[in-house]
Amino acid sequence: MLKLLTTTAIVAAAMPAAAYAQGQQARVNFEIKAGDTATALNQFADQAHVHVVFPYDAIANRRVAGLRGSFTRSEGLRRLIAGQGLVIASETAGMISLKAAPVAPDAPAKAIADNSPQTDIVVLGQGESRQVQTVAPKAMGKATAGSSPLRALSRLPGVNFDSSDAHGTYEAATQLSIRGFLSDQMGYTLDGVPLGNMQYRNNNGLSINRALLTENNGPATLSQGSGALGTASTSNIGGTVDFSSIDPTREFGIDLEQSYGSEDSWRSFVRVNSGELPWGGRLALSYAHDRQGKWRGWGKQEQDQINAKYVQPIGDSVTSTSFLNLIDRREDDYNDVSLAKLKAYGWDFDNVPTFALAEQLALIVQNGGTPPAPYVNADDSVYQGGGVRRDLLAYEKLEYRISPRLSGFTTGYMHLDKGIGTWADPYDPTPAAFGGSPVSVSALRYDIDRKGVVSRLTFEAGDHKIEGGIWYERNVFNQGSYLYGLKAGVTPEQFQQFYDDPFKTTFRNRYVTNTLQLDIGDTWQATSHLRLNAGVKGVVSTNKAHSIVSTKPIDGSIQAKNWFLPTAGILYTLDGGSEFFAGYTRNMAAFVASTSSGPFSSSSQAGFDYIRDDLKPEMTNTFEAGYRFHTRNLQLSLAGYYVKFTNRLLASSISATVVGNQNVLQNVGSVSSRGVEAAANWKFAPFWSLYGSWAYNDATYDDDVQPLGGAIIATKGKQVVASPKHVGNVEINYDDGKLWGQATAHYRSKRYYSYLNDAPLPGAVNVNLSGGYRFSERLDVQLNVMNLFDKRYIASTGTAGFVTSDPNGTYTTLQSAAPRQVFGTVRVHF
């Protein structure tokens, strides 16, 4: 990997070196009239094609002299805010956050979310020709310490996020639903680096929780229908989430954070910023230890994580950014439940409490008998399950200005993962030579070795902005299924670990995926009010499989390829803060290379050969249009969409989930999604704001399904599983710079986990409360109450897959939501 990064760095550095003497940033022609400061900043954001968030109260009644002429983005902004009492809090390629200039000259530097009162928590896509919103770091900073940033996205229109734990970090039960698409049908990036599809048992990436410490999150941008043309993803048919990390500060600073809460949950965090070093570089080092107790059953989720980020200017025209993330995570599972189990055992039912009882139940499973109370069936629960994940994610990014009109960046990255998923298996007893227990450890082991490069160029040509890029990735994924022994009568000291010496190897497979994506697009500022954009990308993803050990080996390759995936958009801006937008995007999802899902999960070589030539990759065609309005105190957004999802893939199971879930994959028709999304953010009084969003989504199957060799299943017209028709949010905020408070309510309507819609889950409302006090720039405290009214409802669905029909509620594939939990946090800044 060092060779790859070195080669990438040399190639990228050679480009700007050829024109180093011209080392200037790309320039923008600004035309901003003298007037109200807030209006001028909004015009700047529109003309510079960047989101700008700022504290309205800090510039109330202020006016600017205007800005006319050709300037770099940074130069133009600094000219515009000169004398306005504002400074730049954070700046990324897509978003600039301003805050009130500090009064005290010795105020400590903080690389944390902007806490200026009245700063927008959500930017409703201003200046974009597609449906897109950005959640500011301030919003994520007010969540429970250590929470997944995906939870912060749940306030956006149409987004339903669920997890069985209050933090939203238990990966096996983390679920995102948007416009009828689920988590693994979305694309995810961090600073432009692909994170894969973020599904559990991931074969091509890792979750954002394992990629970045939550305290280091910058703005997170959700594109509900489609991401930017050059997004590095082969799974983003349902939308894209682009995460970003904050940069090191220019001043020395130390941030300490300590949290404690329900179920003996504990999180310690420290970050050290070097400030600007003598040679111009800036370094931030962060570490966190996180331990979250389970609210039902027994066990915990525990992890240690390190982030390092270093920014080094190289002359006036090149900036180098180096990033490193290391994590060691262990998590104990929450057992999946069914509606019948909840009725029989209650909402707190989970693990078998002792290993002795687990062995007793396993013997009954294997030999027959009557299970002891309260168990109805001996396998209604298991003793333990979970996993271990160790990840290394690193990238080196070079941003360069080749000429006043030509700029770009090149990022080389690598991701190494070692993982194991375990559960206490009551069906396969341990042989006497390996310990003799009636229980064994069934384990799936994973190894990911991803290396890739993303490179883009932007050329400013008068009213045209031409962008093009390339993304290449090679991913080697090893997956194996093993049985390990346990000693009879001896409680395991550490169940979640990397085991050695299996007594049985069910399979061991190797998958190699090569992905190449090319794109080019043009944004044309046709008039001062009209902007048009169009572009096209092409993707080819080739998967090769080789069975090293298997009773039913599968060897071969399959390719998803499409060189014409176009996008087009229009943005029309009116005076007074109004704009109209419309867009179209076509996208394709690559095949998944894994034994657990995708074409290689077929039951045999013959089964794979049968489907390989005719199987088509999933496609979406997305049409959307809308209206936005933005003034000093009010943001509004209203959008409508139509999505045609074709070549839908469905795995027809030919065995029970618990013994491997062998499948045959087939195309089973299409899905149509139609809907409306609305959002509003209103600053109705000093220090007060009210935010709300609502979405209606009608996502239904267009066809009946006939599994290979099976009867027709009447799915036509049925609602897409796990997808509520209505999702709504209400959020009220108070923040005067010292005292702050926030109350949020999230509603999702009825959902289904059966394709025939005979297994409904009722709608639910979840209310959360948070607040805090900033004693000074150096000390603040925070309290979070999750599920304030202690409601019982189903959170994630389909965690063990979806089912054709379940009228009696016996299919075990649900996760219950966490009850009321309370967490407190203290932060100290030096």
Side-chain angles (χ1 to χ4, degrees), residues 587-669:
N587 221 334
M588 179 192 75
F591 296 118
V592 175
S594 169
T595 313
S596 304
S597 61
F600 301 113
S601 65
S602 298
S603 57
S604 65
Q605 182 72 50
F608 172 72
D609 292 339
Y610 178 79
I611 66 173
R612 175 173 53 184
D613 293 335
D614 296 325
L615 203 65
K616 299 177 182 178
E618 295 178 326
M619 302 284 298
T620 54
N621 288 274
T622 301
F623 304 84
E624 54 188 5
Y627 167 77
R628 302 188 190 101
F629 178 74
H630 191 116
T631 64
R632 171 179 170 178
N633 293 320
L634 183 64
Q635 287 188 78
L636 298 173
S637 174
L638 178 65
Y641 62 86
Y642 172 73
V643 182
K644 193 69 170 181
F645 173 24
T646 58
N647 302 334
R648 183 170 71 93
L649 292 172
L650 181 67
S652 303
S653 178
I654 59 172
S655 65
T657 300
V658 77
V659 295
N661 203 28
Q662 295 296 307
N663 305 304
V664 174
L665 200 67
Q666 63 182 119
N667 294 113
V668 291

Side-chain angles (χ1 to χ4, degrees), residues 152 228 272 308 369 432 467 541 556 794:
V272 178
E467 296 182 86
S541 179
I794 296 299

